[in-house]
Amino acid sequence: MQERFCKCGHRLKVQYTLDGFLPWEAIIMRDDGEPSPVKVCPHCGAYLSIHFLR
């Protein structure tokens, strides 16, 4: 698992998994311990893409 940051500075965790259909899948996880993937930043509401996280 890697630590990444939204453009607002909120910390997120990214888990890379091997999938049968995609070579690598990046799942952006909440940093509060919840295992559910997120699609928007819980702090600012911005759309999250692995390509735009710092």
Side-chain angles (χ1 to χ4, degrees), residues 1 3 8-9 21 26-27 33 35-36 39-40 42:
M1 208 174 290
E3 191 173 87
C8 74
F21 299 105
I27 300 173
S36 61
K39 300 291 183 191
V40 296

Side-chain angles (χ1 to χ4, degrees), residues 1 4-5 7 12 15 17 19-20 23 27 33 36-39 43 48:
M1 208 174 290
R4 301 283 187 198
F5 295 89
K7 63 183 178 182
L12 300 156
Q15 179 178 356
T17 61
D19 187 309
I27 300 173
S36 61
V38 294
K39 300 291 183 191
H43 185 259
L48 296 173

Side-chain angles (χ1 to χ4, degrees), residues 7-27:
K7 63 183 178 182
C8 74
H10 186 75
R11 183 180 61 189
L12 300 156
K13 294 189 182 190
V14 178
Q15 179 178 356
Y16 293 95
T17 61
L18 288 172
D19 187 309
F21 299 105
L22 299 171
W24 289 100
E25 182 180 8
I27 300 173

Side-chain angles (χ1 to χ4, degrees), residues 30-51:
R30 293 175 16 182
D31 69 344
D32 63 0
E34 290 295 317
S36 61
V38 294
K39 300 291 183 191
V40 296
C41 176
H43 185 259
C44 71
Y47 172 75
L48 296 173
S49 170
I50 189 63
H51 304 293

